[in-house]
Amino acid sequence: HHIHQSYKAIKKSNNKWGIFLFDKDKIIGVCEVMEEEEDGITFLLIVYTFIDEEYRGKNLCYEIVKRTILKNKKKGKGSMIIKVVIAGGEPILKCLIKVFNELNYKIQKYKSDKKENIKQLKFITSEEAIKIEKKNLKTDMWQTLFFVPKT
């Protein structure tokens, strides 16, 4: 059901795209993304990543996110910042950290917890991101992270 919503959203949109994962003729996963702009800075937003429950625990999240980022690079957008709002907790965060470490990206977050300003970001470690996520789980907060290519 979730995957079909992504499929419909991508089909209707000019700025959304994604990668779907199949098992024979069944769609079992999706990584939906879209290009957005905030204060003159264009970035790729990972809108939604989902793997069907019976296929979890097989590194499929890692594969689908990695292929999505590599496809974005092939489109000539390798220097683009990737924005993610972590709403799925520690498992998706660890998946993203693994992908972006391997692809040579660094993690940033908003400098201020009170005011979101894409022009004022600070670098954090993956350990700090996981620590924040564990704290956020208790308070039902979402964490916004930016993955920036190392230069």
Side-chain angles (χ1 to χ4, degrees):
H1 177 69
H2 298 289
I3 298 170
H4 294 286
Q5 286 177 314
S6 279
Y7 180 76
K8 288 176 188 171
I10 289 168
K11 290 288 284 181
K12 288 182 198 171
S13 175
N14 291 333
N15 67 335
K16 281 187 182 180
W17 58 274
I19 292 185
F20 293 88
L21 191 59
F22 289 84
D23 184 6
K24 296 182 180 78
D25 60 349
K26 179 182 175 189
I27 302 173
I28 61 165
V30 62
C31 184
E32 177 185 342
V33 296
M34 66 189 287
E35 255 186 58
E36 285 201 333
E37 186 185 315
E38 193 176 308
D39 288 334
I41 296 174
T42 304
F43 57 87
L44 187 72
L45 174 67
I46 297 181
V47 177
Y48 187 63
T49 303
F50 182 80
I51 302 294
D52 194 89
E53 215 168 297
E54 67 180 275
Y55 293 88
R56 292 182 191 162
K58 299 176 180 172
N59 275 337
L60 296 177
C61 172
Y62 164 81
E63 286 297 330
I64 201 166
V65 171
K66 182 178 175 185
R67 288 174 193 213
T68 303
I69 301 309
L70 291 174
K71 182 171 173 82
N72 195 55
K73 282 185 171 190
K74 279 186 185 168
K75 292 170 112 185
K77 305 197 178 193
S79 63
M80 185 179 277
I81 294 172
I82 315 291
K83 180 179 180 180
V84 184
V85 178
I86 308 293
E90 209 175 324
I92 186 69
L93 176 58
K94 285 182 175 179
C95 166
L96 294 169
I97 287 170
K98 182 179 176 186
V99 169
F100 286 110
N101 277 343
E102 187 178 307
L103 296 178
N104 220 12
Y105 283 71
K106 296 185 279 189
I107 306 171
Q108 290 186 310
K109 70 184 261 345
Y110 292 117
K111 267 189 182 169
S112 168
D113 290 333
K114 309 232 184 307
K115 188 170 186 272
E116 293 184 356
N117 183 344
I118 195 164
K119 291 184 176 180
Q120 294 184 351
L121 301 176
K122 67 178 180 181
F123 287 100
I124 64 169
T125 64
S126 53
E127 293 80 14
E128 288 173 292
I130 291 169
K131 190 175 169 183
I132 292 166
E133 192 57 33
K134 284 180 178 178
K135 188 183 88 189
N136 285 355
L137 186 64
K138 294 176 186 137
T139 57
D140 198 27
M141 298 287 292
W142 291 0
Q143 177 176 201
T144 301
L145 296 174
F146 298 87
F147 292 90
V148 185
K150 292 179 184 174
T151 49

